[in-house]
DNA sequence: TCGTCGATCTACT
DNA sequence: GTAGATCGACGAG
């Protein structure tokens, strides 16, 4: 069930991003298991992508996780507030990562509502990368954790979206990345209510 | 050392 | 529609 490490070692981060739609993401934090299936992702293509933290081989205490071998979590803080969860792919020294922007919750929904302080369930509970991380209890403690462990992992449960239900577009919030901001590196399930921005 | 800005979300007006 | 939260990386001084 758990997706094997070899899945994450491929060099084409863009195709892996698309393939991740429909895969299940779970966390077990404080003894509570929460998760759901992925409905929105974005690819960050290593040292040649201006929108990537690792552009131009930038290596800092924060980004060094991206340079490690694929199959681990990259969690960082953005705008001083939000934790973002990424899946690192490719081999050692190739800093590629996939941002998980939205999931459709299936397990532990009550626990997510508590974490999000949302007594009435709304689609925004896991729409957007900051929301996904909070709902799943993801924090920087998880940074560089293996996805083969029992804290955070992915599963293939046979759910698969046909191409005509998958949409592609430019990434969100990366206007500063000049021409790379236009790259079609964002993938999402058409019309899904948990997808963050435009979902048509 | 300081100032600026970012792979964002929420609560206001 | 937009202000505010407030940390890490970076470039200027």
């Amino acid at each position: 069930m758990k997706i094997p490490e070899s899945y994450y070692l491929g060099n084409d981060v863009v195709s892996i991003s698309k393939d991740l739609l429909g895969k299940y993401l779970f966390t077990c934090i404080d003894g509570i298991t929460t998760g759901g299936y992925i409905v929105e992702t974005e690819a960050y293509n290593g040292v040649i992508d201006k929108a990537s933290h690792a552009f131009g081989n930038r290596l800092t205490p924060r980004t060094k996780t991206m340079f490690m071998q694929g199959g681990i979590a990259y969690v960082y803080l953005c705008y001083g507030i939000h934790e973002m969860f990424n899946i690192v792919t490719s081999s050692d020294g190739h800093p590629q990562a996939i941002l998980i922007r939205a999931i459709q919750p299936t397990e532990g929904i009550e626990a997510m509502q508590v974490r999000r302080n949302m007594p009435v369930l709304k689609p925004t509970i896991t729409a957007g990368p900051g929301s996904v991380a909070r709902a799943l209890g993801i924090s920087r403690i998880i940074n560089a954790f293996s996805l083969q462990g029992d804290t955070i992992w992915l599963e293939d449960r046979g759910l698969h979206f046909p191409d005509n239900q998958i949409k592609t577009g430019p990434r969100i919030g990366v206007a500063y990345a000049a021409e790379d901001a236009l790259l079609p590196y964002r993938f999402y399930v058409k019309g899904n209510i948990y997808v963050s921005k435009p979902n048509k």
Side-chain angles (χ1 to χ4, degrees):
Chain A
M1 288 280 260
K2 213 171 267 188
I3 294 177
E5 183 173 44
S6 57
Y7 179 88
Y8 306 105
L9 300 182
N11 238 336
D12 189 348
V13 67
V14 176
S15 355
I16 299 175
S17 300
K18 182 179 175 188
D19 194 66
L20 278 175
L21 297 176
K23 299 292 187 291
Y24 283 73
L25 169 66
F26 292 104
T27 59
C28 183
I29 312 279
D30 298 330
I32 307 170
T33 299
T34 50
Y37 59 87
I38 296 168
V39 295
E40 185 180 0
T41 62
E42 276 180 11
Y44 286 85
N45 190 16
V47 300
I48 57 164
D49 180 355
K50 288 182 182 167
S52 166
H53 292 159
F55 173 68
N57 257 311
R58 183 163 46 220
L59 182 55
T60 68
R62 181 177 73 159
T63 64
K64 74 176 184 202
T65 307
M66 283 186 79
F67 286 81
M68 296 167 72
Q69 187 177 79
I72 61 173
Y74 171 44
V75 183
Y76 71 94
L77 190 66
C78 192
Y79 296 101
I81 298 278
H82 302 289
E83 324 266 355
M84 306 269 195
F85 168 64
N86 299 250
I87 295 169
V88 177
T89 67
S90 195
S91 44
D92 194 25
H94 295 103
Q96 305 184 342
I98 300 163
L99 175 67
I100 305 303
R101 292 192 54 88
I103 70 169
Q104 171 142 354
T106 59
E107 307 273 332
I109 293 177
E110 299 81 10
M112 294 190 210
Q113 290 180 254
V114 172
R115 286 176 182 146
R116 298 274 285 117
N117 194 19
M118 187 183 284
V120 179
L121 182 62
K122 284 176 288 196
T124 52
I125 191 166
T126 50
S131 301
V132 170
R134 251 214 323 286
L136 296 184
I138 291 169
S139 72
R140 281 166 292 165
I141 298 171
I142 306 302
N143 185 49
F145 269 40
S146 165
L147 301 178
Q148 307 303 308
D150 293 321
T151 301
I152 182 162
W153 68 96
L154 276 80
E155 291 183 14
D156 187 343
R157 295 193 168 184
L159 178 63
H160 182 256
F161 296 104
D163 274 357
N164 64 13
Q165 284 184 42
I166 295 178
K167 295 278 285 180
T168 304
R171 292 170 290 185
I172 307 289
V174 296
Y176 63 90
E179 71 276 11
D180 288 345
L182 302 174
L183 293 170
Y185 281 2
R186 172 175 181 247
F187 300 93
Y188 58 98
V189 178
K190 188 170 154 187
N192 185 283
I193 59 170
Y194 292 97
V195 170
S196 56
K197 294 259 169 150
N199 66 356
K200 304 282 196 285

